[in-house]
Amino acid sequence: MKRTIISAALCAALFSIAANAQKKGTGRLFPETWGGEKSLAVKSECTIAEGDFNKDGFKDVAVIAVPRNPALMRTREDGYEYNFNKPVLAVFFGQKKGKPKLHKEYRDTIPGNDAEDEDCFHENQLTVNDEGDLCITVGEFYAAGSADSPRVEYVFRWQNGGFFLIGKNYGSFSRYSGEAKNVSENYLTHKMRTVTSNVFEEDVPEEETWIDLPDVPLQKLGSELLTVSEPEIEAVG
């Protein structure tokens, strides 16, 4: 079962680990613009998921944290606060003794809100599937200018010393027309399934199609920015 764990206490504990690592010079998780250790623990926004990603029997933790550097914040006249800081993804591996150890931080990987498009909001989520894979979902919601709300779930599996993308699930829904589209890509079986429907029209039948995907090297987590874009892959053959 997929699960998302958001714990303020755990988040604060991880921030403390990261801050101590910075002081000792053993690693670095957060940008210096976040301020001191107290501001990291108290003012930062984070989403957390737990699982045994590397299958060593110890609990691992993944966290997406969004700093609150005032220089990248904006407040509307009605008091609503925009946060244009870039999210940071970090993975901590569990140890036999002691606190989890920072494995790696990933910058320019998770999309954030764009100051040039205030009507577009990004929603990021971490989950763990039944196989213990790390799932990162990125979504967009437009307050104005678009009726669509696309979301993409990226499924990363730990293998060969890194997290590799083994699947992707795209979904979109129009608040105006009711049209929905879901696309699932499996890079291990090289298959793509597309299902279209209309939640407003019960007499419109659901349509399902399958195509074969090309056999290409798996993408490694952190190699590029995760986006909320519809798959554009042609069938093999």
Side-chain angles (χ1 to χ4, degrees):
M1 178 181 295
K2 294 182 180 180
R3 51 181 178 156
T4 300
I5 301 173
I6 302 176
S7 167
L10 181 55
C11 188
L14 293 177
F15 283 132
S16 178
I17 294 172
N20 289 333
Q22 291 183 43
K23 292 176 182 177
K24 297 177 181 178
T26 56
R28 174 171 70 84
L29 176 59
F30 306 111
E32 291 76 8
T33 53
W34 285 33
E37 180 178 351
K38 182 177 180 181
S39 66
L40 291 179
V42 177
K43 296 184 178 180
S44 303
E45 306 164 358
C46 70
T47 301
I48 295 174
E50 297 177 334
D52 185 6
F53 307 131
N54 56 2
K55 303 298 187 294
D56 64 354
F58 303 109
K59 182 185 295 184
D60 307 318
V61 181
V63 54
I64 295 177
V66 184
R68 293 178 60 83
N69 176 13
L72 296 175
M73 306 286 290
R74 188 179 303 167
T75 304
R76 291 191 316 212
E77 294 182 355
D78 61 0
Y80 181 83
E81 191 175 55
Y82 292 98
N83 187 345
F84 299 116
N85 285 272
K86 291 185 178 180
V88 179
L89 168 67
V91 176
F92 296 80
F93 282 154
Q95 306 295 308
K96 185 175 182 179
K97 295 182 180 180
K99 298 178 180 179
K101 181 180 180 181
L102 175 62
H103 162 65
K104 188 174 181 179
E105 65 175 61
Y106 301 87
R107 300 169 184 268
D108 299 319
T109 298
I110 308 299
N113 296 327
D114 185 356
E116 301 300 322
D117 189 359
E118 294 184 351
D119 290 326
C120 180
F121 299 89
H122 278 87
E123 299 176 344
N124 303 309
Q125 184 180 34
L126 290 173
T127 56
V128 180
N129 64 16
D130 292 338
E131 288 71 38
D133 303 319
L134 177 61
C135 304
I136 305 173
T137 301
V138 297
E140 286 182 352
F141 173 82
Y142 285 86
S146 177
D148 295 331
S149 299
R151 298 179 66 83
V152 180
E153 179 190 59
Y154 294 82
V155 183
F156 289 94
R157 177 167 293 174
W158 176 265
Q159 57 187 37
N160 302 322
F163 288 96
F164 288 87
L165 184 66
I166 63 168
K168 187 189 300 182
N169 300 303
Y170 167 87
S172 67
F173 168 71
S174 173
R175 303 191 302 274
Y176 295 162
S177 67
E179 295 179 349
K181 185 175 185 178
N182 292 280
V183 182
S184 295
E185 300 172 275
N186 189 316
Y187 305 135
L188 300 181
T189 62
H190 313 298
K191 299 288 185 180
M192 184 171 82
R193 174 178 180 261
T194 301
V195 177
T196 58
S197 61
N198 192 307
V199 298
F200 295 164
E201 304 290 341
E202 295 183 357
D203 57 339
V204 176
E206 183 178 273
E207 295 186 4
E208 177 182 82
T209 58
W210 289 82
I211 67 171
D212 293 325
L213 297 176
D215 185 0
V216 297
L218 298 178
Q219 173 188 329
K220 195 172 184 179
L221 176 62
S223 60
E224 60 183 51
L225 177 71
L226 305 184
T227 62
V228 189
S229 58
E230 184 173 350
E232 296 181 358
I233 299 179
E234 296 183 0
V236 176

